[in-house]
Amino acid sequence: MAAGGSFSIVEYFGGDDGHRCGYCKNAKGNFSHGMWAHSMTVQDYQDLIDRGWRRSGKYVYKPVMNKTCCPQYTIRCHALNFHPSKTHKKILKKMTKFLSKGEKPAGQCDAGCDGERMDSMFGEGGEVPPVDPGKIQHSQVECPIIPSSPENDNDSRPSTSETSREETVSSSAGKSPRLMPKPGVGADPGKPPCRKAKDIRKERRLQKEQQKQQDGGCTLTNLTPAPATPSSGQPKPLEEFITDSLPDEPLHRFEVRLVPISFEDPDFLASYDQSVELFARYQMAVHGDDPFECDESQFKRFLCDSPLEAETSPDGPDMGYGSFHQQYWLDGRIVAVGVIDILPNCVSSVYLYYDPDFSFLSLGSYSALREIAFTRQLQKQSPKLSYYYLGFYIHSCPKMRYKGQYQPSDLLCPETYIWVPIEKCVPRLDASVYARLNEDTRAGDARALKDLGRVMVLHKRTVLPYAAYSRKKKGFSDEKEVEQYASLVGQTCAEKILLYRS
């Protein structure tokens, strides 16, 4: 079981009925399996998303890939090897110009353009089926009593650019050759070496950020600037594109704050009302929601309620693991919020909402680049944490293909749960909306269900393997449902996660 007395407890709902697809608008074409997570350890959720699951609030779902109309492939970006494309660089430069001088692009981008992240629990109008609260059991779920039995002591948790160029000058036809400089005496060894003005500005900004952190308050996720001058032939790092070229006193004051999703956290509480109002404005302007569809209860249910238990680890990031709001503050007010999960191996993007008045800044794409940079920052503290998960890649929906532009990236094979480079997947997905992505025909699911009896269940506050539970429930069989659940989560998760049985 999980260290520290934490347990993942879920109720499985099956997934036989089709519901409306938010991508192709098919009324009954979207099929997914779902379960309600009363609680979830970060490692269990990491293992689940590596099998194609994804959460919406406390609802965790997995598309039926070979049946649903628009198959949704889990996608991850190799954050450490990421280099921004020309489009990404333009977005970062656009932000720099706005912050520095207030410059806006000539043609304002309307909401949702330029690859804004639009796959959500409800943002595209029905990716996730509605959950009837009456079906969710809350009694006897909170406090399991763990019997002292060797069967339950199984803690077999799996460990789970543009290149910078040297300027060369040649004496070509029609141009005068550059004159060689006269020999000199060289630098004065008694004086400090010359430094570029932008290096000095970066150092000052870093000192200011460190001072803010020392003064208290929420975690700032502004980035430590990378070395200003990469060696010859090396790509310019993402961090330098983000922090580069800002003057000491820009026209607009901008910072990124990370706050845990907790009503006991003062920074989360202090910004809560502003976040709720911003969410409603975004949903109505960008997705056309009615006010009742994006009120405080919906905000809380989908973007505040999380099954993830906050955890810390000696080899983990300073802020720990769990669910967070990454807030983008401009001149003292929030203009965007990225909802993220920090997990043992990755930062997982959950949702992004922003002020529609600032859609010209392409905040969806900008925040994704900031989250990739944030992942790189966390990896320095936690070596395993090196991936950025963008949710689902939907090749059959052209406007959702933008996620493939954050490279290098992989898609998850829906049959073997092996990661495959996206460039190898695209030809297969061009030929068929559903495809086995792993080219090795002999490969199978390494964590496939092998022993149903070892699936762990929670019944009357007692944790026991399914084999023992089924012996007690004479005359009643839920074997088919439990087998379907265990096949979807895999043997490893089935032996750690507690399946609630009423």
Side-chain angles (χ1 to χ4, degrees), residues 218-429:
C218 56
T219 303
L220 297 179
T221 59
N222 294 311
L223 306 168
T224 301
T229 309
S231 60
S232 174
Q234 292 298 310
K236 188 175 178 180
L238 172 63
E239 291 81 358
E240 190 166 338
F241 283 105
I242 293 174
T243 60
D244 205 7
S245 302
L246 273 178
D248 287 340
E249 299 296 333
L251 179 65
H252 293 290
R253 186 162 44 91
F254 184 75
E255 64 179 344
V256 183
R257 303 178 187 174
L258 185 76
V259 297
I261 301 178
S262 169
F263 286 94
E264 297 178 357
D265 182 83
D267 294 309
F268 180 78
L269 283 176
S271 57
Y272 179 76
D273 290 341
Q274 192 178 159
S275 291
V276 172
E277 188 273 336
L278 178 62
F279 165 74
R281 286 190 62 211
Y282 169 80
Q283 290 297 130
M284 289 187 286
V286 177
H287 294 296
D289 282 6
D290 291 325
F292 72 89
E293 295 178 292
C294 52
D295 59 13
E296 182 183 356
S297 65
Q298 296 295 319
F299 173 78
K300 186 173 182 295
R301 177 184 175 189
F302 290 111
L303 301 181
C304 298
D305 289 350
S306 170
L308 299 183
E309 302 288 339
E311 298 179 25
T312 57
S313 171
D315 60 350
D318 292 341
M319 70 288 297
Y321 301 110
S323 298
F324 297 82
H325 281 186
Q326 195 162 48
Q327 303 171 338
Y328 297 79
W329 289 76
L330 180 68
D331 298 330
R333 66 178 175 131
I334 303 175
V335 294
V337 177
V339 185
I340 60 173
D341 294 330
I342 300 179
L343 304 175
N345 295 353
C346 72
V347 170
S348 175
S349 172
V350 178
Y351 197 55
L352 183 281
Y353 58 97
Y354 57 84
D355 188 333
D357 292 343
F358 293 91
S359 60
F360 63 88
L361 289 175
S362 304
L363 289 170
S365 298
Y366 178 80
S367 62
L369 295 169
R370 292 291 303 229
E371 287 171 8
I372 292 173
F374 181 52
T375 304
R376 291 155 64 104
Q377 182 181 338
L378 295 184
Q379 194 273 340
K380 296 175 183 177
Q381 304 171 16
S382 182
K384 288 195 307 179
L385 205 163
S386 59
Y387 295 102
Y388 174 60
Y389 284 49
L390 295 94
F392 288 134
Y393 172 83
I394 304 155
H395 193 75
S396 58
C397 181
K399 68 179 177 180
M400 297 306 297
R401 293 183 186 177
Y402 74 89
K403 295 184 180 184
Q405 298 168 5
Y406 296 88
Q407 294 191 8
S409 58
D410 304 318
L411 299 184
L412 187 68
C413 175
E415 296 180 11
T416 63
Y417 303 109
I418 297 296
W419 294 100
V420 182
I422 191 169
E423 58 271 18
K424 292 185 177 181
C425 302
V426 168
R428 291 173 176 254
L429 297 177

Side-chain angles (χ1 to χ4, degrees), residues 83-86 89 161-165 234-236 241:
H83 298 296
S85 66
K86 288 185 178 180
K89 293 172 189 176
S161 4
E162 181 179 330
T163 305
S164 61
R165 302 179 181 90
Q234 292 298 310
K236 188 175 178 180
F241 283 105

Side-chain angles (χ1 to χ4, degrees), residues 44-97:
D44 287 344
Y45 185 53
Q46 176 74 67
D47 292 342
L48 285 176
I49 63 173
D50 286 339
R51 290 185 66 83
W53 293 82
R54 180 162 164 79
R55 79 173 184 89
S56 166
K58 290 191 173 185
Y59 185 74
V60 187
Y61 63 100
K62 174 179 167 62
V64 184
M65 297 291 283
N66 59 356
K67 188 177 181 182
T68 194
C69 52
C70 296
Q72 300 154 56
Y73 296 85
T74 302
I75 183 171
R76 73 177 185 184
C77 170
H78 294 250
L80 301 186
N81 298 324
F82 172 79
H83 298 296
S85 66
K86 288 185 178 180
T87 299
H88 296 148
K89 293 172 189 176
K90 287 180 180 178
I91 291 169
L92 296 173
K93 289 177 181 177
K94 180 167 56 177
M95 175 64 81
T96 298
K97 289 180 180 179

